Amino acid sequence: MTAYRIGIDVGGTNTDAAILDENLRCIATAKVSTTDDVFGGVRAAINTLLSETGIAARDIGLAMLGTTHCTNAIVERKRLQRVGLLRLAGPATAAVPPLANWPEDLAAAVALKWQIVGGGYEYDGRILSQLVEDEIRAVAREWRGNVDAVAICGVFSNINSEQECLAEQWILEELGPISITLSHRIGSLGFLPRENASILNAALGEVMGDVISGFAEALKATKLDHVRALIGQNDGTLMSADVARTFPVLTIGCGPTNSLKGAAFLSGRKDAIVVDVGGTTADIGMLSKGFPRQSALAVDIGGVRTNFRMPDIISLAVGGGTVITKDSTGEPVIGPQSVGYRLTTEAMVFGGKTLTLTDISTVLGVGLRIGNCVPDVPATFCSRAFDSVLKRLATGVDRIRTNAAPLPVILVGGGSALFPDHIDGTDEVIRPANFGAANAIGVAIGDVSGEVDRIVTMRDEIREQTLASLRNEAIQAAILAGADPATVEVLEQEDIPLSYLPGNATRIRFKVAGRLLSRA
């Protein structure tokens, strides 16, 4: 019998875990300090769950992991692979080189080698320039031994992907089994943002490989190597390890997304504002029909403008480990620094010397009392600091709204225990049971999704047939990924006429999701 599932979310400060039964009832949760590697913290969290519940390892059938490793790698400019970019666009795009608006330190971290070659399409699908096989093969030979991964980006490849696929074939024949990212699978409209997203995806291959292998090692060490392992992505659904290796960039932002999904599940609310407070940040997002609202704008990741899907999240430098200092006038300064996973050694409530938001909350007697002592800090100073933090939260909640309609605010995350059950400007604040592990529960209950995002020529006589075909394609993608066919439903449908393109060009997007089959 494999009735149970485990959800694990690795954050910058803590690794949270939860075990759920076949009815998705939360049996137990665990919170341990995040370790430098994936293996240590995940193993400790799983061992804690199994020992506290007495559930046998053989009764666990599913394990899901949400991770911030890819986000951290970009933000910290660490462990990024050397990328070779092949731009199929010459000579039309030579005026704007790749990485034109990237931060210098991030551009240096990916050590990009790039080449603009013939290729690409016009906006109406006509060929802009023919591919030259010898040209592309010559570039690949120059890159041999000098790049770890390749990104291929063609002008309007989201209308016709044939050239990108052909270039991929030639590069594989020259370089052997190397990771290749094709831009039409990553981004949408907007050539440079799509190119940026493709480069980032290629650069993250090693990081995701380490995450997957570390997760597998932790499962093996806890006698769970028989379970089906899945990775959370940033739209609140799950993907296999193989898909995660191919599209590591889709895990960026999955931490807040998992918390939003968990908040919806724990509170029973499908439409709400969620405030997820961790050790370093407070992430504020919006739930719509039980799923995180996606950003409608180009998303900035580590200083790079991209156009692939991301949850609409406002992140504030406010968390349990946020460092509190004074300015020259004695007024409190909130962060942005955080002690992170060193909270239990550096915060004053644990005998350390750094004043944190946890210490401020303890002095004021607000929220959950943790630690073993009360810091000797003036209450008036603490009150001013705490009021400043509450104003930031209230402002963030107001910014995420799209209208004045009343919506409940759901508080989740371990750091939310430091805050009162009221936020200015809100009518209702909900702090559900197991709120501290909402992120782990969110990834554990994740559905399996399928998506189609394509530009097509839409004629009235075949409109319904075209829509049905694309809808079915998205549904089949979800089923192939492991969704129960009986539960797959359409979550989002977009039908956007592109008036600046000829031939009744229309962007069609279908997003579907279904419950995971435990024995898929």
Side-chain angles (χ1 to χ4, degrees):
M1 179 182 179
T2 55
Y4 297 96
R5 61 176 67 191
I6 289 178
I8 303 159
D9 189 276
V10 181
T13 303
N14 294 309
T15 293
D16 294 290
I19 186 166
L20 283 67
D21 65 15
E22 59 185 350
N23 297 315
L24 300 185
R25 183 172 61 94
C26 183
I27 305 300
T29 63
K31 187 182 293 289
V32 302
S33 295
T34 293
T35 56
D36 289 336
D37 62 339
V38 180
F39 174 75
V42 172
R43 181 181 62 176
I46 293 174
N47 280 332
T48 299
L49 285 179
L50 296 181
S51 63
E52 288 186 356
T53 61
I55 294 173
R58 64 177 179 274
D59 291 334
I60 309 296
L62 295 165
M64 295 82 159
L65 177 71
T67 175
T68 62
H69 280 75
C70 287
T71 306
N72 296 343
I74 294 173
V75 172
E76 298 172 6
R77 281 52 165 155
K78 293 180 179 178
R79 301 171 60 209
L80 298 174
Q81 294 190 127
R82 301 171 299 169
V83 178
L85 170 68
L86 190 68
R87 183 190 280 185
L88 312 181
T93 64
V96 183
L99 309 189
N101 296 313
W102 283 44
E104 291 184 5
D105 55 348
L106 181 56
V110 301
L112 185 74
K113 294 186 180 299
W114 57 274
Q115 186 68 46
I116 300 176
V117 299
Y121 295 91
E122 299 281 6
Y123 57 81
D124 59 357
R126 290 180 293 115
I127 290 179
L128 174 68
S129 177
Q130 294 285 354
L131 293 185
V132 179
E133 180 176 351
D134 290 344
E135 182 181 26
I136 292 173
R137 288 185 182 274
V139 172
R141 288 192 292 269
E142 289 179 8
W143 286 348
R144 186 178 290 122
N146 297 313
V147 300
D148 305 307
V150 172
I152 302 174
C153 188
V155 173
F156 283 108
S157 63
N158 49 336
I159 293 178
N160 189 335
S161 61
E162 183 178 348
Q163 287 187 344
E164 284 193 353
C165 295
L166 194 55
E168 176 189 35
Q169 175 187 327
W170 294 335
I171 290 176
L172 287 173
E173 289 173 358
E174 293 292 339
L175 299 183
I178 189 171
S179 174
I180 298 180
T181 296
L182 302 184
S183 75
H184 72 273
R185 298 176 179 171
I186 294 290
S188 184
L189 296 174
F191 178 75
L192 292 177
R194 175 159 50 88
E195 181 178 83
N196 290 339
S198 302
I199 295 170
L200 288 177
N201 189 73
L204 291 168
E206 181 181 349
V207 174
M208 181 50 65
D210 289 346
V211 167
I212 292 171
S213 61
F215 189 30
E217 290 174 12
L219 293 175
K220 183 177 181 180
T222 53
K223 299 181 180 180
L224 292 178
D225 47 331
H226 64 280
V227 307
R228 184 179 179 206
L230 296 156
I231 309 296
Q233 50 184 329
N234 59 23
D235 63 354
T237 60
L238 300 164
M239 57 184 166
S240 68
D242 288 341
V243 174
R245 287 184 193 275
T246 304
F247 303 111
V249 77
L250 297 184
T251 67
I252 294 176
C254 77
T257 297
N258 291 338
S259 294
L260 264 70
K261 285 279 291 179
F265 178 77
L266 293 172
S267 66
R269 303 296 183 93
K270 299 297 184 182
D271 298 282
I273 295 170
V274 177
V275 179
D276 173 29
V277 188
T280 304
T281 62
D283 297 315
I284 304 173
M286 180 83 78
L287 282 169
S288 177
K289 299 180 180 179
F291 280 82
R293 186 179 72 194
Q294 299 292 300
S295 175
L297 304 174
V299 177
D300 185 286
I301 300 174
V304 177
R305 191 175 179 84
T306 68
N307 65 350
F308 71 98
R309 67 168 194 240
M310 279 285 287
D312 190 5
I313 298 291
I314 295 173
S315 292
L316 307 177
V318 172
T322 296
V323 177
I324 311 296
T325 57
K326 296 180 181 179
D327 63 15
S328 58
T329 65
E331 286 301 305
V333 177
I334 315 300
Q337 298 80 15
S338 171
V339 297
Y341 64 84
R342 303 185 304 277
L343 179 71
T344 55
T345 57
E346 296 191 14
M348 289 185 174
V349 292
F350 294 103
K353 298 181 179 180
T354 304
L355 182 64
T356 68
L357 183 58
T358 297
D359 302 311
I360 295 293
S361 177
T362 300
V363 170
L364 297 176
V366 179
L368 181 67
R369 171 75 181 273
I370 65 173
N372 47 38
C373 61
V374 178
D376 185 16
V377 182
T380 53
F381 175 83
C382 293
S383 181
R384 293 200 303 275
F386 201 71
D387 285 345
S388 177
V389 170
L390 291 178
K391 287 179 181 178
R392 289 191 186 186
L393 283 182
T395 300
V397 167
D398 190 56
R399 284 175 55 199
I400 203 72
R401 292 180 182 274
T402 54
N403 55 57
L407 282 173
V409 172
I410 307 172
L411 282 177
V412 296
S416 69
L418 305 175
F419 295 100
D421 294 329
H422 176 73
I423 297 176
D424 287 346
T426 63
D427 298 320
E428 181 184 11
V429 174
I430 302 169
R431 199 192 311 265
N434 297 311
F435 65 89
N439 48 2
I441 294 171
V443 72
I445 64 171
D447 294 324
V448 181
S449 67
E451 186 170 3
V452 167
D453 190 342
R454 194 164 300 156
I455 298 174
V456 299
T457 298
M458 185 68 78
R459 301 197 307 270
D460 289 342
E461 63 270 21
I462 60 169
R463 174 183 173 80
E464 293 306 320
Q465 179 182 344
T466 301
L467 291 176
S469 176
L470 294 175
R471 185 189 307 112
N472 186 64
E473 186 177 334
I475 291 172
Q476 291 305 313
I479 294 172
L480 185 62
D484 181 349
T487 65
V488 176
E489 60 179 340
V490 176
L491 300 178
E492 300 174 19
Q493 176 180 345
E494 292 181 346
D495 185 346
I496 306 173
L498 303 178
S499 57
Y500 54 88
L501 297 182
N504 293 323
T506 306
R507 180 186 178 188
I508 303 295
R509 177 176 174 268
F510 280 103
K511 172 69 176 295
V512 305
R515 292 182 182 177
L516 178 68
L517 280 173
S518 60
R519 294 178 178 82

